[in-house]
Amino acid sequence: MPLPPPHCVNPDNDQDDLLAAVLGLEEELKAAVANLHTRLQSLRSSGSLAQTTSQPCSSTAKDDGKLLLQHDQLIVEVFSGDKAKIVPDTPTSSSLPSEPDVLIAHRAQTNQGGKPESNLRPIKAASAESAGDELRLTAKWMELSMHRNQFSGLTAAEIKRSTEKLKAHLGGSGGRRVSVRQAIQVKAPHSALNPHSTERLVWDVMGLFLMVVDCFLLPISLAWEAQMGTQDAGAVCLLVAFWFAFLYWMCDVGMNFHTGFYDRGRLVSSHVAIAKHYLRTWLIFDISLVLLDIAVVSLESVAGDLSDFRVIRFVRFMRILRLLRVLKVTRIGSLIEESAAQAGRRWIIMFSAVLQTGMVMMIAAHFLTCTWIWVGRNTTDSWLDRAGASNISGWTQYLHAMRWVMNSPAPAPINPDSSGERLTDVFLNLCFIFIMGSAISKISETLAELRAMNEERQRRRRGIRLYLTTQHVGFELISRIMRFVDYKLERPSLAGMDHSLMSPTLTMELYVNQRQGVLLEHPIFALTHDAFPEMFSSLCSAFKKHVFEKHESAFLAGTRSVAMHMTALGVFGFIEGYDLEDAEVLITGVHWFAELSIFVETAMHNSTLTARTFAETLAISGDELVACLRDSPICSVMFCEYAKDFVNSSKRLPVGGTHEQKIEVSKKCCMNTMHYRALHPNPKTQLTNVRILPVVDECHEEGHATDFQRNTSEETLNEYKQNQDHLEVSETKSSHTHTFTDNLSDCSSGMSLANFTLELLAEGAELDCKKLPSLLQSHLLELHKSFGTHVLFDQRLERDRGESACISVIALVTNRYDLFTQPQDPKVKLLPEQWENLQQIVAWSEVTAEHLEAVLVLLAIRGLGKNATILQQVPASSQRPEKAVLHLMDLAGNVVPSVVHLGVSARRFVEDALGLHELFNFAQMLQGENVPGNIAQLREFVAEKGQRMWRFYLVFLLGFMSGLQAGEGSRFMNASNAKSVISGIRMLLHVLDDTPNAIYWGYLSDRARHLKLPRQTADDLVLVRLACLARVQDEQSYFALQTAWDALHASGKDSLRDHFLADGIHSTAFLLEFLPDCLVNSNANATISLSLLFSVLVDLLHQLRMMTRSLPESRQPRIMRVDLSDMAQFIRAVKNRFVFQTCVSRCRIVPNTDEKSVRFEMTGANWSRVNDADTDVTLLAYTVHELMQRQHVMEDHFKSGVANAPDADSDRVF
């Protein structure tokens, strides 16, 4: 049947006409496809197709049976030592790895001519400075996390250095390190005082009291010319007051050096910054007054001895200068005003204003009174003489002067010739009038302001009550509303304030002042306050305040959570669980709830929070938090790292977890961030401080203590315990590490492990399975469950994996099938014939005691290379897990004490095995992710290092794979997983005997044989590799792959065929890392089909090929690693087919520094559209693209003659 011609659509028609035309074309294409399938069914029923395909299938089945028989039969030769050795079959044997003929033909055809290129525009390669991330969070968080990889390789020192630079740029702030440690309940180091802390407030109140005492005593001493001394009670009082004040102000200088200050709303606690700030403000003033006090004491003693009138007058003048400290009263007064304003009570504000005014009036009146007395005592025929008060007591004279100051008598009893007294009298009256007028004015203004506030309050209150009355609202509801209105009017929010009266900086500082007390209780916000003060200010302003009346619910269990709530004020009732049957717990203070909702798309409340008084919370949503973090890439790195860890940890909580468990998760995840570890390093996990010394434990009680335990003195063990309990933050001297290593070298623990391996390999040796874990922990200190290295660095899962791997290796070399399969489910237990295959591989490896010792040590320490705390302390060149372990072996033997006892040869085996493990990823080979070029690299490495190292590595590889799922034995190596592992290792046995292509495709052919997949054509081989990548286990999954492949047009098939059959030896190959995750996620996402994923891969490969061709030929790598982790997460989250179909055009290819690997970054342009819904335009665009795809496929079928003579490709059999 000929193809129907496409409809011609007038461009001037509207969208409906275009859509109708496209739908008509789709119906005709569907009819054509249905007709084609009908013809194929008729051909199949007539027997033509069966005759075409039956012969190849039968021969294949026969060959497969022969291959299976020969592949399972291993030729074993018995030597004099009764050791079995696997010998490769003869070259003519079909059990040898072989390269398929169709692959050789395809490579020859490819070398003859190139394929037509796509018409896509090339993507400009991005620099390594902008990077993506692998976090599986919401689309907003994934878009934000584009900045993370730029800083993911920073070491602890670099993070700390960059943070300190940032703080210096923001004003010299050293951060308040105590805040985050208090939030996580970790003991904080000695830090500067908060200027608003209770300790500082008490100290300032003492200073205020001493200044008030000075203000009263100094004028009295000057008026009556009293001297300090012991001659009478008054002199003693002056002496005591002086020395108390003198000692206080001397100590106050030191206290000011230890008190922080606020700079643009941020608390500065750096002692250097505090010293500079104090020097610019009050230091010279304080030092001068302290020196003045010293001078007063010295001069008074001189004046007393010489009776010099001039000296006495000078001393009196200097004593007056001490009153300059009254200037500091303004600072304390401002603190009182801030405290009153922060309380928010009107009567407190009024009382504070009246109290301050009254104190000023009393001190001013006292000064004027003492001045008037001094004038009277130093004037001839003074007012004292005329009033007859010259010889009365000082107290009565003070009352006379006070009466004169407050209300001068008329006419004044002053000598007419005494102009000095007249001037003083006028001055006193003017001063008193000014002071009293100012005081009365201030009190009047305060009352007027309070009256205006009350009038505004009453006006708004009357308006609400009038509205409720006119609406005929019930009395009970009116009562509740009015109580809530009264509460809101008592505590006005910032929303009702005129922000135009303040600058943005002052507004931000106001938010920080009001909300930092709540936010600092959360660990990650407290860490932000320490590391990024400017960003903390933005966070304070991003939170929104919510006010609840009595018995109002903040949230209910079972409802959708859209924001995180932090309780700020009031009493709440909290009920855990969905059924509301648990007892209600009353909570006060700061707590936070629903934190998960700011990181994931959908979260549900599993508890209920109800206000029991008028209460307030601060809330923030995920979008608001992301918007706040956009301006700080480094801070967003910290939050993204925290978010990923928090989400993963929350998944492990039982049924959502309790409130206490969630708080502990928050604290632990905050402590796991690289910024926290850089700013607050744990002294016990610093490489120079680590001490893994054995102590007497249960092994000793069982009689299995190591020689090292028996030979170590009590003094050494006690010293170890003391060091662990009293480690300081400062680094331990390097000589301590050397001494520790020397002590380990002198002990016999290493010999104990060697003896243990010799006993295991001895004939007739008995192995107690129950005691084996404790024996391993006593010989391999890294695996100890109480004080081992893994436990110290908080990676118990890696410890369990290492212990499982060691037990599995011991079971393999001692032929203990029961021990190896102990943790396995009986339904999938390792088959006896599979165990025999494993035993033959072990026998071929010729395991010696030295090999076994080195393998056990390597399995015990391998997991340490993945620890984030260790990676932050090693150089940037050793950030890979294997290189990090090598760094520990070379420069941190105290962290891996088992390595110290290895011999030179065994140590070289461990180092070479780590190098090989980094070079060749066996797991990638098992799922068809790598290429034959990787096996070629493996072959070169093995040829260089020798056969003995290769045999050693295979034993390690068996142990490593066996311990992946932990357990006292091998939980992973069951009947299902052992198939591919045994097949892969068997093929690798021929790494020096056959070609990399033969080994690689021999393994894939073996997998195809087990799955009963066809492998006659190049397309069959592509589908076999795709089946391995997609982890296909059944016929239905393979049929989905085959259908998606058939839906591709010819050029797309050519592109993917060239990619999946490229070997990285004769042609450039792209190793698409995380492609299995892409395939799995596409199956899980109903929006994304496999055929659509294949189409996107075609576009991606085109861009990669254009990028490599743009490089000079000398720099073009044979194997280019491509990180698709970001794309895998995007596939899982995207909800629009057209967005995914066109995502390559909005991506970036970010090359790494080695020029042999790149990262495929989805960019914010894609993540911002991940939640876009399908619209008419996108549906129309996708429909047109799908119709064009189908038309190309049908044209390809007709051009190849499928309609007339269908072949085996047209209808494959699983």
Side-chain angles (χ1 to χ4, degrees), residues 383-393 396-397 400:
W383 68 271
L384 285 173
D385 297 327
R386 288 182 174 269
S390 300
N391 298 320
I392 61 177
S393 65
T396 307
Q397 290 180 350
H400 275 279

Side-chain angles (χ1 to χ4, degrees), residues 194 637 647 683 864 866 890 914 969 1001 1059 1154 1172:
N194 190 315
V637 169
V647 171
L864 294 173
K866 296 185 289 185
D890 294 336
L914 287 171
W1001 288 105
H1059 164 69
D1154 57 1
D1172 288 356

Side-chain angles (χ1 to χ4, degrees), residues 817 821 823-831 834 965 970-978:
Y817 175 76
T821 59
Q824 295 182 6
D825 188 345
K827 297 180 180 179
V828 291
K829 189 174 182 179
L830 185 73
L831 301 177
Q834 292 174 327
Q965 295 182 359
S970 177
R971 184 177 286 114
F972 174 81
M973 197 73 75
N974 53 30
S976 176
N977 295 327

Side-chain angles (χ1 to χ4, degrees), residues 563-629:
M564 180 182 73
H565 293 267
M566 299 187 71
T567 58
L569 189 67
V571 180
F572 289 88
F574 178 73
I575 302 178
E576 194 86 56
Y578 295 95
D579 50 10
L580 303 181
E581 295 180 356
D582 295 341
E584 184 181 66
V585 179
L586 296 180
I587 60 174
T588 57
V590 180
H591 297 263
W592 59 91
F593 305 90
E595 184 178 2
L596 188 63
S597 63
I598 63 178
F599 301 126
V600 300
E601 291 286 354
T602 304
M604 304 292 291
H605 288 290
N606 65 343
S607 57
T608 300
L609 187 69
T610 306
R612 292 308 172 199
T613 62
F614 287 109
E616 299 177 2
T617 65
L618 296 177
I620 189 170
S621 66
D623 292 348
E624 292 168 343
L625 180 57
V626 169
C628 181
L629 295 172

Side-chain angles (χ1 to χ4, degrees), residues 1017-1072:
T1017 66
D1019 286 1
D1020 289 338
L1021 295 181
V1022 172
L1023 287 172
V1024 167
R1025 189 175 173 190
L1026 282 172
C1028 294
L1029 287 166
R1031 300 153 191 172
V1032 167
Q1033 297 293 336
D1034 52 29
E1035 180 178 357
Q1036 184 178 2
S1037 300
Y1038 179 79
F1039 181 75
L1041 279 177
Q1042 182 179 347
T1043 303
W1045 176 261
D1046 291 339
L1048 286 173
H1049 55 80
S1051 60
K1053 287 183 179 180
D1054 290 340
S1055 178
L1056 291 181
R1057 189 184 301 114
D1058 291 344
H1059 164 69
F1060 285 110
L1061 299 184
D1063 56 12
I1065 301 173
H1066 305 91
S1067 59
T1068 300
F1070 299 103
L1071 201 162
L1072 301 183

Side-chain angles (χ1 to χ4, degrees), residues 920 922 925 938 950 957 984-991 999:
F920 180 75
F922 180 68
M925 174 184 168
L938 170 67
W950 176 233
L957 191 60
I985 293 181
R986 275 182 159 177
M987 291 297 168
L988 290 180
L989 294 179
H990 304 278
V991 67
I999 294 172

Side-chain angles (χ1 to χ4, degrees), residues 40-67:
L40 291 177
Q41 290 293 338
S42 61
L43 290 173
R44 185 181 295 106
S45 60
S46 63
S48 304
L49 185 61
Q51 293 175 3
T52 306
T53 59
S54 60
Q55 183 63 28
C57 293
S58 60
S59 62
T60 302
K62 182 178 179 181
D63 292 341
D64 287 346
K66 183 177 179 180
L67 180 61

